[in-house]
């Protein structure tokens, strides 16, 4: 039993409430203190890695003061908190973000400069926290940032994967995956909380509590401990510091000393290995779902620890559990955390002895659910026998939830058996499956999509019957947004300085509606020149980055044409590389004099393919093979270059996005739920070439159609095209056929390797409609070039776009969630 002091003296009392020390001497002392006392180095033998760690620890000391103050304050005023449950948080780096939030960047730059280090180099020592795959995980990181900056009491909950997103190496043009050992060196941005540990059960059997209908004792001897690690989320311009609590499996107590003593060394550690693996790896699939047993156990460990923690915190208020929805809102980031619903039911029924109705009322007022994709391959389903074996109590609860739900449907629509079959949480297949999206929907009071078109589509497709049964009001739209702190102020300092000048101060960073002021400067020649110069500098920075990561030398005077995102058939990187091949062909037909008049272009790709996604990996190989031939073609020179940047990451995006002239967001209409990089590119003065899909549509509405290049068929036409192509051979236009011919003629190495990619269009039904959209895509590229020739107009487009992008700040998204879903208020943290 640990003790707390009987009285707290002034020194302790004032610690967390004192001002952050900013003077150079104090900062220098604290860096040296960490260098020597935390890392056992001396100023004489420190390298830039040591300098990073010592500085990061010193910054974190300053952050901690606010962090403690925030939690103390929220507890004191009983603030309602929102809990964002997500299996993914794609955080990236924290050091620079924290320096900017605390407004200490200049101070640290000076202190480090005094001892001969450049702050940028020190920042480069930090490894990304890559605990996510792509859009969904990065959105979670932007959302906790916005909660912190907008003074909402918000926590993220996730898993502390020992290996994050795999590192992508390119060997002989192919993707090769290597583990991401991001925790090999000390991580300044996490705090182990051994005191915050919860037991999580698996398997076992159930014993009904005598005389009760819904109360069971779950007996099992497979029990793992989930331990908390806290990650601070610095709020810019506020004392509020958010928290991401990540769970890790604790294994020490699972060591079997008896087996060890008997000489069975493997057996002695077997239990530890089985437990640890639960939080070892992030599943590297984006927009796909693999029904792996380990994944189910991972999801449950996460949900159980999180719900136990939320209940423990709530209980400290001394209020009755019926008031949980007044103090806690839980957002499910896609279906992966859906087991939180039956887990909260289990706690309320079995541990707290509430009735079913009391418990269900609390659950449905607490949870809300966001859907992020409609791709069928991403829909989470778990075989009933698997769920029953691993989580027998939850399977029972899910049956009961389904029973009561179907009873209510039957009452409203008597005799409609087909409706019951369609809407049931249990799919009647062999074996039966638990449909997690339906469970999430039934257990939540609000369900949202992530852009207007996507929210409409889910109402007409997957949740169509639910709209009929539960009413339209439950289904809403919350268009995604991105953080202006990281995606403007952090990654694009020169453009940000210009915005600050136009706005008059830095308040736009937390209130993006102020960027509207840029419109007043669009005719100011000096301003325009500096705007272009900022872009040019970012392009040079990217050219240097590309040279150092790939060895390819590109000219910063070329048009930078960027497509960076997960490699997936629906995103159509294949269509892009086909168009590059066609372009190469056209350039080869020209005389040198004609070629000299063309706009020089660098086509840049980056992105990872899921390890088991063969087609996506072949696309990477094709891009690299094409790049190799074109880049070595002396006749073409700088007129066309193709680059595949390996190991795409948040940090790589921070180099890429501010440097783009044109970026491509070219999913088949109706397949990209929202996209968020489209927002980032436009917020950095880039122009987008895209389909009428996801958030592209709303971006076009906000900035005006003259500022965006749309092409391709519309979402409502896709069904008919697909239907046609199931029965008819696609007819590639001349341009696409030329690209096929060049590949088949072995222009880019053995063409046979790539035949399956061509066949996906010609013989596989062309599911993503490349043959349909290709002609308008080539037209759109021409329109881009024509526009780019007129640099004056291009700069106007660039400035006007940024000026009109306020809607796409994640602060706006979070405010909408707070008001319409979570019912929480901002709380200004003070002493
Ligand atoms: C993505 C969507 O594909 C993207 O359009 C959207 O902008 C983003 O979510 C944020 O809402 N979906 C996923 O990343 C996704 O489904 N990931 C699976 C790994 C779970």
């Amino acid at each position: 039993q640990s003790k707390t002091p009987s009285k707290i003296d002034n020194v302790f009392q004032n610690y967390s409430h004192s001002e952050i020390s900013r003077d150079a001497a104090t900062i220098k002392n604290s860096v040296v203190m960490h260098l020597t006392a935390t890392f056992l180095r001396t100023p004489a033998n420190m390298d830039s890695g040591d300098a990073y760690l010592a500085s990061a620890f010193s910054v974190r000391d300053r952050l901690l003061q606010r962090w403690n103050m925030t939690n103390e304050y929220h507890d004191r005023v009983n603030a309602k908190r929102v809990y964002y449950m997500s299996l993914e948080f794609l955080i990236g780096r924290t050091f620079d973000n924290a320096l900017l939030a605390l407004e200490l960047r200049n101070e640290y730059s000076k202190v480090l400069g005094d001892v001969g280090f450049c702050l940028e180099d020190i920042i480069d020592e930090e490894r990304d926290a890559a605990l996510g795959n792509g859009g969904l995980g990065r959105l979670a990181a932007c959302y906790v940032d916005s909660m912190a900056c907008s003074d909402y009491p918000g926590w993220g909950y996730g898993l502390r994967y020992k290996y994050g997103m795999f590192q992508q190496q390119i060997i002989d043009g192919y993707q090769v995956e290597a583990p991401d050992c991001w925790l090999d060196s000390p991580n300044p941005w996490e705090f182990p909380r051994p005191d915050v540990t919860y037991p999580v059960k698996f398997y076992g059997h159930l014993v009904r509590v005598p005389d009760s209908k819904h109360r069971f004792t779950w007996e099992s001897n497979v029990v793992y401990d989930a331990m908390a690690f806290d990650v601070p989320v610095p709020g810019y311009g506020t004392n509020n510091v958010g928290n991401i609590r990540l769970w890790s499996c604790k294994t020490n107590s699972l060591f079997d000393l008896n087996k060890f003593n008997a000489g069975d060394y493997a057996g002695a550690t077997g239990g530890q290995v089985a437990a640890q693996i639960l939080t070892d790896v992030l599943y590297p699939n984006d927009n796909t779902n693999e029904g792996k047993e380990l994944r189910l156990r991972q999801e449950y460990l996460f949900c159980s620890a999180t719900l136990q923690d939320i209940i423990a915190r709530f209980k400290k208020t001394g209020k009755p559990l019926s008031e949980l929805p007044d103090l806690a809102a839980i957002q499910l980031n896609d279906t992966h955390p859906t087991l939180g619903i039956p887990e909260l039911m289990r706690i309320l029924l079995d541990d707290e002895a509430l009735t079913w109705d009391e418990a269900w009322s609390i659950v449905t007022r607490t949870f809300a659910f966001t859907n992020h994709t409609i791709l069928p391959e991403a829909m989470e389903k778990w075989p009933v026998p698997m769920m029953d074996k691993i989580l027998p109590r939850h399977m029972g609860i899910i049956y009961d939830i389904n029973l009561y739900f179907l009873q209510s449907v039957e009452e409203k629509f008597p005799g409609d058996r087909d409706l019951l079959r369609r809407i049931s949480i249990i799919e009647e297949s062999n074996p039966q499956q638990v449909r997690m999206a339906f469970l999430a929907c039934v257990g939540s009071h609000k369900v949202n999509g992530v852009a207007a078109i996507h929210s409409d589509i889910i109402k007409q497709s997957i949740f169509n019957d639910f709209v009929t049964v539960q009413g339209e009001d439950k289904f809403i739209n919350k268009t995604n947004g991105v953080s202006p702190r990281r995606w403007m102020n952090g990654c694009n300092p020169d453009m940000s300085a210009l915005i600050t000048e136009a706005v008059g101060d830095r308040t736009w960073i937390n209130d993006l509606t102020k960027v509207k002021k840029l419109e007043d400067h669009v005719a100011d020649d000096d301003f325009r020149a500096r705007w272009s110069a900022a872009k040019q500098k970012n392009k040079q920075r990217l050219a240097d980055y590309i040279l150092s990561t790939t060895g390819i030398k590109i000219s910063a005077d070329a048009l930078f044409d960027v497509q960076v995102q997960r490699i997936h058939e629906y995103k159509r990187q294949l269509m892009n590389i086909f168009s590059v091949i066609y372009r190469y062909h056209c350039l080869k037909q020209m005389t040198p004099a004609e070629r000299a008049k063309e706009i020089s272009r660098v086509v840049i790709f980056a992105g990872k393919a899921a390890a088991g996604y063969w087609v996506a990996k072949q696309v990477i190989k094709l891009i690299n093979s094409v790049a190799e031939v074109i880049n070595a073609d002396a006749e073409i020179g700088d007129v066309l270059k193709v680059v595949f940047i390996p190991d795409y990451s948040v940090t790589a995006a921070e180099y890429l996005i501010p440097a783009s002239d044109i970026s491509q967001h070219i999913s088949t209409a109706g397949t990209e739920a929202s996209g968020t990089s489209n927002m980032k590119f436009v917020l950095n003065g880039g122009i987008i070439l895209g389909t009428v899909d996801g958030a592209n549509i709303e971006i076009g509405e906000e900035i005006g159609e003259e500022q965006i290049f749309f092409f391709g068929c519309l979402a409502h036409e896709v069904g008919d095209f697909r239907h046609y192509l199931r029965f008819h051979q696609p007819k590639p236009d001349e341009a696409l056929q030329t690209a096929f011919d060049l590949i088949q003629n072995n222009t880019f190495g053995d063409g046979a390797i790539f035949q399956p990619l061509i066949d996906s269009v010609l013989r596989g039904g062309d599911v993503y409609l490349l043959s349909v959209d290709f002609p308008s895509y080539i037209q759109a590229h021409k329109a881009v070039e024509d526009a780019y020739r007129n640099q004056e107009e291009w700069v106007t487009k660039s400035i006007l776009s940024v000026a009109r992008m306020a809607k796409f700040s994640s602060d706006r998204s979070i405010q909408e969630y707070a008001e319409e879903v979570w019912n929480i208020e901002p709380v200004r943290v003070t002493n």
Side-chain angles (χ1 to χ4, degrees), residues 88 133-137 139 283 285-288 295 333-334 336 370-373 378 450 480 570-571 671-677:
E88 302 190 12
N133 276 286
L136 166 151
L139 185 78
Y283 273 86
N285 300 321
D286 182 81
N287 276 291
T288 41
R295 169 73 172 185
N333 197 26
D334 217 281
H336 324 126
T370 306
N371 169 281
H372 291 269
T373 179
V450 290
N480 287 163
Y570 85 86
K571 295 181 187 280
T671 62
E672 186 71 272
S674 161
T676 42
S677 76

Side-chain angles (χ1 to χ4, degrees), residues 416-491:
D416 191 343
R417 286 192 221 164
D418 199 50
L419 173 63
L420 294 182
R421 180 188 58 76
R422 290 198 308 269
I423 210 169
S424 172
I425 294 170
I426 310 293
E427 182 181 273
E428 292 302 331
S429 44
N430 188 12
Q432 294 176 311
Q433 307 271 343
V434 184
R435 297 160 159 163
M436 299 308 270
F438 288 11
L439 177 59
C441 177
V442 172
S444 296
H445 61 96
K446 284 277 186 288
V447 174
N448 73 281
V450 290
I453 180 181
H454 170 240
S455 299
D456 283 342
I457 291 175
I458 60 176
K459 282 202 276 181
Q460 290 153 20
S461 54
I462 158 165
F463 297 126
N464 193 19
D465 288 324
F466 288 88
V467 172
T468 312
V469 168
Q470 303 195 307
E472 188 131 14
D473 291 354
K474 175 165 173 172
F475 299 87
I476 59 175
N477 173 243
K478 289 285 151 275
T479 299
N480 287 163
V482 302
S483 163
R485 271 73 57 188
R486 183 173 296 264
W487 297 112
M488 297 176 80
N489 191 42
C491 70

Side-chain angles (χ1 to χ4, degrees), residues 28-54:
K28 193 173 285 180
N29 278 342
S30 78
V31 173
V32 171
M33 190 279 284
H34 280 295
L35 186 72
T36 53
T38 313
F39 296 106
L40 203 65
R41 309 284 283 193
T42 67
N45 71 4
M46 80 168 154
D47 60 20
S48 53
D50 304 321
Y52 160 65
L53 282 174

